[in-house]
């Protein structure tokens, strides 16, 4: 009887922890700028079309500090992802949903 109670409690703890993680996928650090959500695995770059700093996971928040580009060239967002709030960089605007 005690083992069953312990097992049930252990399962409940695991489920509760998993639901907390899943409930906040779009979080990014405080700071200026709006938050969009990455729609695919996205490379964070040191400049538009530049070197890759890291890969951001899909479904996570990205805080946009500034926008580069326009109608004649690809639009890029400068900011940081929820996975690395201390590392700013550039991502293609097409890889982020509002």
């Amino acid at each position: 009887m005690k083992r069953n109670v312990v097992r049930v409690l252990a399962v409940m703890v695991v489920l509760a922890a998993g639901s907390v993680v899943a409930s906040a996928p779009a979080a990014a650090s405080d700071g200026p700028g709006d938050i969009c959500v990455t729609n695919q695995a996205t490379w964070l770059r040191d400049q538009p079309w530049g070197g890759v700093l890291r890969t951001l996971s899909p479904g996570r928040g990205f805080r946009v500090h500034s926008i580069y580009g326009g109608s004649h060239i690809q639009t890029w967002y400068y900011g940081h992802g929820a996975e690395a709030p201390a590392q700013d960089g550039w991502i293609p605007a097409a890889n982020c949903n509002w």
Side-chain angles (χ1 to χ4, degrees), residues 1-10:
M1 179 70 171
K2 286 184 180 181
R3 284 187 178 179
N4 287 340
V5 171
V6 171
R7 284 183 189 159
V8 169
L9 289 175

Side-chain angles (χ1 to χ4, degrees), residues 25-28 33-39 42 56-67 76-82 91-98:
D34 294 326
I35 296 177
C36 62
V37 179
T38 54
N39 57 29
T42 302
L56 302 175
S57 299
R60 298 298 306 267
F62 185 84
R63 186 171 302 276
V64 179
H65 299 305
S66 63
I67 300 172
W76 291 78
Y77 295 151
Y78 178 77
H80 61 269
I91 66 168
N95 293 9
C96 216
N97 297 333
W98 292 99

Side-chain angles (χ1 to χ4, degrees), residues 41-97:
T42 302
W43 286 341
L44 182 70
R45 296 177 177 269
D46 59 357
Q47 60 185 346
W49 302 284
V52 176
L53 301 171
R54 69 180 309 121
T55 301
L56 302 175
S57 299
R60 298 298 306 267
F62 185 84
R63 186 171 302 276
V64 179
H65 299 305
S66 63
I67 300 172
Y68 170 78
S71 60
H72 295 99
I73 61 171
Q74 182 179 13
T75 302
W76 291 78
Y77 295 151
Y78 178 77
H80 61 269
E83 297 159 293
Q87 186 174 34
D88 287 349
W90 295 90
I91 66 168
N95 293 9
C96 216
N97 297 333

